[in-house]
Amino acid sequence: MSSLFFKNAQVVFPDRVATTNVFVRDGVIVDVDAPESTSADVTVDAQGRYLMPGVIDDQVHFRDPGLTHKEDLATASRACAAGGVTTFLEMPNTRPPAITMDGIRLKENLAAEKSLVNYGFYIGATSENVSDLQQATNVPGIKIFIGSSTGNLLVDEQQALEQIFAQTTLPICAHCEDETMVRENTAKYEGVHDVAVHSKIRDVDAAVTATKRAIDLSLRHKHRFHVLHVSTAAELPLLANTQPYVTAEVCPHHLFFNVDDYERLGTLIQMNPSIKSAEDNRQLWEGLLQGAIQVIATDHAPHTWEEKQAEYPSSPSGLPAVENSLALMLNQVSQGKCTLTQVASWMCDAPARVWGIVGKGRIANGYDADLVLVDMEQRREIENARQHTKSRWSPWHGTTLTGWPVATWVNGQQVYGEHGFDESVRGAKPQFDHQRGGFWATPDGIGLR
């Protein structure tokens, strides 16, 4: 039983930024216009700073269990807290893969023990586990790898995809790159060790073909579908006229890096889907601003520095981003390219609505007190040595940003601030309510319990 009072905060609401006072009791926001005389156990004077809802990163790979030399739930959740991420949704391609509810429960138990922030875990689709997908409850959704995976998590046969879309009810998300095209391109560039060919192997056509295929399945089966990490301008027209079934997201690396950066960064920006052109950067930004894309997520996928230094194509695809994603977007606000309300929509409210995360994503009465205090005047350089991810590197090393999260609360408990982390805090599994209809059915927020 505790109370928390933010006074003189510039609060980022869905439709405006307003200076007000926010009162929190027992982890829940109870008054977003509290009088200055309000008494609380803890008072935070937020004068000159902005109070945002906590970020929900709906696409991360935290490597726990099975690949914890790269990352684990303790290090990853510290990175989240430092970056203003209060809830993460993690992908199923761990070892063992999370393709049953027993596999999900294993990861939930690990998170309950280790994670400083809130957590949810997708169930992975295979060609043979439709019954497991049908039985899954209170999870964010189903993840399909239509390309870019190995073993039984790769599902690219049409019959299996039709069955999953037709016979399950949870919302689906997918990695969309056409596996046949990628394999043909791989053979074409066999023996080439220049990482720049990665964007020719995983080219625009591979992305467009798979995204078109998945959207067709979604619309025909009237099944909610989320396009992960849109990487090409050519995918944007596919998203038009797909309501109420289809939503989409973009990642910072596809907004800020392009093929011209391979010369400078090499395998550090080797990603699946691959980095594309500067024109793709520009049009993806426009897609965000115009509402064709609803969500920003990181696809945080850490590998060790040594692994990333391997000669292409032995180098793995993936990069860490979860602790810098909000700051990267705040920097865009400082440059006048977008607003704080837009950032809060893309990174907080929209993912809560897409995945039915009850009581999350907004600063409003009755919502959970997952909150981030932001200093829009702070200038800081991203440095490998200061990264909290276990991999301890960032492709943005050496980049100076204006606007940083400086304190983070999870369910009303401060987990990160100027004195570091409160390691006693643990996040919780939120409620996923898919009966609320997803993003297009919840324009006023996902709502309360």
Side-chain angles (χ1 to χ4, degrees):
M1 303 287 286
S2 62
S3 56
L4 175 63
F5 181 54
F6 296 91
K7 68 176 185 179
N8 304 317
Q10 297 181 71
V11 179
V12 182
F13 293 109
D15 58 346
R16 70 195 190 284
V17 176
T19 301
T20 186
N21 307 306
V22 176
F23 182 58
V24 173
R25 182 187 296 118
D26 299 332
V28 176
I29 299 166
V30 295
D31 192 348
V32 297
D33 190 19
E36 287 200 26
S37 59
T38 299
S39 177
D41 297 323
V42 177
T43 296
V44 177
D45 188 347
Q47 184 77 41
R49 292 178 170 180
Y50 294 82
L51 190 66
M52 291 184 61
V55 170
I56 299 171
D57 193 332
D58 80 356
Q59 187 186 183
V60 301
H61 301 266
F62 283 170
R63 312 302 191 193
D64 200 349
L67 294 165
T68 53
H69 71 284
K70 303 173 189 278
E71 189 80 278
D72 61 49
L73 287 165
T75 58
S77 66
R78 283 198 289 271
C80 284
V85 176
T86 55
T87 302
F88 66 80
L89 306 183
E90 209 249 1
M91 291 300 169
N93 56 328
T94 44
R95 295 181 183 175
I99 56 176
T100 66
M101 282 309 296
D102 286 343
I104 297 292
R105 298 295 177 240
L106 168 64
K107 294 171 77 168
E108 289 174 347
N109 290 338
L110 287 171
E113 177 185 339
K114 297 180 179 182
S115 181
L116 277 62
V117 301
N118 303 318
Y119 48 84
F121 299 96
Y122 296 94
I123 186 168
T126 75
S127 297
E128 301 174 344
N129 76 332
V130 166
S131 61
D132 292 292
L133 304 180
Q134 292 170 333
Q135 294 168 25
T137 57
N138 201 21
V139 297
I142 296 167
K143 168 66 181 290
I144 307 177
F145 288 89
I146 307 177
S148 190
S149 192
T150 57
N152 61 355
L153 280 176
L154 176 62
V155 184
D156 65 344
E157 295 180 358
Q158 189 67 23
Q159 182 178 353
L161 290 169
E162 295 279 359
Q163 187 179 32
I164 293 167
F165 274 85
Q167 297 182 19
T168 66
T169 58
L170 289 172
I172 293 171
C173 62
H175 180 118
C176 295
E177 288 183 291
D178 187 82
E179 186 70 12
T180 299
M181 298 174 76
V182 169
R183 289 178 180 177
E184 289 174 351
N185 290 338
T186 299
K188 187 186 307 182
Y189 290 99
E190 185 177 2
V192 178
H193 296 290
D194 180 0
V195 68
V197 304
H198 194 69
S199 293
K200 297 179 180 178
I201 291 171
R202 296 182 175 275
D203 62 8
V204 170
D205 289 343
V208 169
T209 299
T211 299
K212 184 176 182 179
R213 181 187 189 190
I215 289 175
D216 172 69
L217 285 159
S218 169
L219 297 181
R220 284 194 290 106
H221 292 290
K222 295 180 168 55
H223 198 128
R224 291 211 306 277
F225 175 66
H226 187 63
V227 186
L228 298 172
H229 42 46
V230 175
S231 64
T232 76
E235 289 169 278
L236 294 175
L238 303 178
L239 301 172
N241 303 313
T242 58
Q243 299 181 20
Y245 300 109
V246 178
T247 50
E249 75 184 35
V250 67
C251 299
H253 48 271
H254 290 129
L255 292 174
F256 300 123
F257 295 131
N258 58 66
V259 292
D260 296 334
D261 294 309
Y262 278 126
E263 184 176 358
R264 178 171 60 93
L265 295 168
T267 55
L268 296 183
I269 55 169
Q270 178 187 329
M271 287 295 299
N272 301 337
S274 68
I275 303 302
K276 303 301 194 299
S277 72
E279 180 60 18
D280 287 300
N281 294 156
R282 189 190 69 78
Q283 292 199 41
L284 289 173
W285 257 110
E286 193 62 25
L288 258 180
L289 293 170
Q290 297 300 322
I293 296 171
Q294 293 77 37
V295 173
I296 293 175
T298 63
D299 195 12
H300 177 95
H303 301 282
T304 68
W305 179 261
E306 292 74 21
E307 288 168 338
K308 288 295 277 186
Q309 298 308 305
E311 186 178 49
Y312 184 82
S314 297
S315 48
S317 294
L319 57 81
V322 76
E323 63 197 282
N324 298 310
S325 59
L326 177 56
L328 286 163
M329 297 310 300
L330 296 176
N331 189 62
Q332 299 302 301
V333 174
S334 74
Q335 295 178 8
K337 295 183 178 179
C338 56
T339 67
L340 281 170
T341 55
Q342 287 174 314
V343 172
S345 173
W346 299 328
M347 302 185 78
C348 313
D349 181 57
R353 291 160 56 193
V354 169
W355 302 111
I357 311 176
V358 180
K360 304 289 188 187
R362 294 187 173 203
I363 296 178
N365 291 345
Y367 276 64
D368 295 337
D370 295 336
L371 300 166
V372 182
L373 196 63
V374 165
D375 185 344
M376 287 301 298
E377 302 302 317
Q378 184 173 130
R379 285 175 55 82
R380 193 198 314 165
E381 182 179 305
I382 297 175
E383 301 175 58
N384 286 346
R386 296 179 63 181
Q387 299 302 290
H388 297 288
T389 174
K390 187 180 283 190
S391 62
R392 296 300 294 273
W393 64 271
S394 169
W396 288 281
H397 171 73
T399 303
T400 298
L401 305 177
T402 300
W404 282 88
V406 294
T408 304
W409 288 261
V410 174
N411 300 313
Q413 301 179 84
Q414 185 169 2
V415 66
Y416 174 76
E418 61 179 341
H419 300 299
F421 301 97
D422 184 342
E423 297 284 353
S424 70
V425 174
R426 289 295 178 270
K429 176 185 174 181
Q431 177 186 352
F432 299 97
D433 186 352
H434 301 300
Q435 299 302 312
R436 304 195 185 198
F439 179 85
W440 300 111
T442 53
D444 297 322
I446 192 61
L448 309 177
R449 290 177 178 80

